[in-house]
Amino acid sequence: MPAPNLLAALSLRLPIIQGPMTGSDTPALAAAVSASGGLGMLGCGMRSPDAMAEAAAQVRQWTDRPFGMNLFAQDTPAPDAATVAAALERLAPLYAEFGLTAAAPARWCEDFNAQLDALIAARPAVASFTFGILTAEQVERLHAADCHVIGTATTVAEALAWADVGADAVCASGMEAGGHRGTFLASGGMPGAQPSLADFAAAMVGTLPLVAQCVDALAPRGIPVVAAGGIMDGRGIAAAQALGARAVQMGTAFLACDESGISPAYRAALQSATATDTRASGALTGRPARGIVNTLMERLHPDEAHVPAYPVQNALTGALRRACAQEGRADYLSLWAGQGVAAVRPMRAAALMGVLEQEWRAARAGMAG
């Protein structure tokens, strides 16, 4: 059954969930957040089932506190040859700058069903999902493994869809959030239809109205809301709770922590970014995502309407981004970050959790006064 008191259900001391940050997360970061009273998360969307099991085991070596695992709910694509060839042709000049030839990878993504089996075997306290939605039967499997299910929603309709399949909570992800948008409902389309660029644009709802509307829609059904997008300090946590959110999910705030897995070039970009340096673009990966504007985004963005959908474009640009990282450059990386990026605070995760707790308690006291 859904648990309105999410913090009590998960034995959390603080209403803070670390964003999954797939590709930038580490077991050390998740363990530190959980050990500090929040909920650490492993972003497993691009991990193999074996890597998922290994990461979960590492978290458990460092803490006995609850943690979560996040997956991309997606089907394995089968793009036609012409689509792939056209994408490779567009990318060829960029690859040539690194002395590389653009080529299709051996596979487009991990198999979701195998990942879901691995997650259930790992039995984390929380299983969260983005990019798509589970079936009621899949949610029941997770409940049988004692996992609380949190679905990502960018609209009220998506939040209600997650409620209908039995989710225990919904993460309302506002347009300020860094990284990929979780939008999965297509307007006026057949069931299972993929969202268009217009659908993604329509789902760019700000965190404040989205959280308030999701709380109003889900409260009668006893389903708590987690707020995400642009929350960087204790004031933001308190503000989200004032709107009815039970907890917040913070990704960008933890990116600059010592334990995160980002490269030195990525760290430097974070620390020099201003509040207006991010943009949402689907050109890098085939799914709109918010990141710091750099050369790669500027060169690919004009073709946004033509690139193949995620994960195909993501796989096709993967070797390019890895080459850039190996050279210590940030101009061809995917620098995912939210609109609060100017407020990042480089420090160890436990120290950041302590600061956030102090700020949150002070903000709550100010509201009460």
Side-chain angles (χ1 to χ4, degrees), residues 273-296:
T274 68
T276 57
D277 284 345
T278 71
R279 182 192 307 167
S281 175
L284 279 69
T285 68
R287 171 177 279 267
R290 182 173 297 281
I292 299 170
V293 177
N294 62 359
T295 302
L296 182 63

Side-chain angles (χ1 to χ4, degrees), residues 13 27 53 59 176 310:
R13 187 173 60 83
V59 174
E176 300 92 332
Y310 190 100

Side-chain angles (χ1 to χ4, degrees), residues 222-321:
I223 298 175
V225 172
V226 176
I231 300 169
M232 298 294 292
D233 57 22
R235 295 173 300 174
I237 299 170
Q241 289 185 311
L243 292 172
R246 298 301 179 107
V248 301
Q249 181 170 285
M250 305 171 71
T252 303
F254 287 101
L255 268 179
C257 285
D258 297 354
E259 297 92 340
S260 87
I262 63 176
S263 67
Y266 197 159
R267 288 183 187 278
L270 285 178
Q271 293 178 37
S272 63
T274 68
T276 57
D277 284 345
T278 71
R279 182 192 307 167
S281 175
L284 279 69
T285 68
R287 171 177 279 267
R290 182 173 297 281
I292 299 170
V293 177
N294 62 359
T295 302
L296 182 63
M297 186 182 292
E298 289 179 328
R299 292 188 63 175
L300 292 179
H301 188 71
D303 292 320
E304 181 179 25
H306 307 292
V307 302
Y310 190 100
V312 175
Q313 177 75 354
N314 184 62
L316 293 176
T317 60
L320 179 66
R321 288 176 280 128

Side-chain angles (χ1 to χ4, degrees), residues 110-260:
E110 295 291 334
D111 180 75
F112 174 72
N113 290 321
Q115 289 179 313
L116 182 62
D117 289 343
L119 188 152
I120 290 171
R123 300 175 70 95
V126 166
S128 75
F129 300 87
T130 190
F131 292 12
I133 190 168
L134 303 186
T135 64
E137 292 74 20
Q138 289 171 325
V139 172
E140 289 176 2
R141 287 184 62 199
L142 290 158
H143 284 164
D146 296 324
C147 297
H148 292 81
V149 177
I150 301 180
T152 302
T154 61
T155 64
V156 174
E158 291 176 346
L160 290 171
W162 272 108
D164 289 342
V165 297
D168 299 292
V170 169
C171 179
S173 180
M175 68 176 182
E176 300 92 332
H180 288 97
R181 300 296 293 151
T183 303
F184 62 87
L185 286 183
S187 60
M190 298 295 292
Q194 293 301 306
S196 65
L197 284 178
D199 293 322
F200 279 107
M204 283 288 191
V205 183
T207 301
L208 295 183
L210 180 63
V211 169
Q213 293 164 18
C214 286
V215 168
D216 290 345
L218 298 183
R221 302 176 67 163
I223 298 175
V225 172
V226 176
I231 300 169
M232 298 294 292
D233 57 22
R235 295 173 300 174
I237 299 170
Q241 289 185 311
L243 292 172
R246 298 301 179 107
V248 301
Q249 181 170 285
M250 305 171 71
T252 303
F254 287 101
L255 268 179
C257 285
D258 297 354
E259 297 92 340
S260 87

Side-chain angles (χ1 to χ4, degrees), residues 47-145:
R47 281 189 171 100
S48 69
D50 287 345
M52 289 173 60
E54 181 180 351
Q58 288 179 325
V59 174
R60 289 190 168 110
Q61 286 179 352
W62 293 322
T63 182
D64 61 358
R65 302 298 301 155
F67 68 96
M69 301 172 76
N70 173 272
L71 288 179
F72 299 156
Q74 61 183 349
D75 296 326
T76 300
D80 61 80
T83 297
V84 174
L88 290 173
E89 184 176 355
R90 284 190 295 269
L91 293 170
L94 282 71
Y95 271 96
E97 293 181 18
F98 289 86
L100 301 173
T101 301
R107 60 180 173 179
W108 299 115
C109 63
E110 295 291 334
D111 180 75
F112 174 72
N113 290 321
Q115 289 179 313
L116 182 62
D117 289 343
L119 188 152
I120 290 171
R123 300 175 70 95
V126 166
S128 75
F129 300 87
T130 190
F131 292 12
I133 190 168
L134 303 186
T135 64
E137 292 74 20
Q138 289 171 325
V139 172
E140 289 176 2
R141 287 184 62 199
L142 290 158
H143 284 164

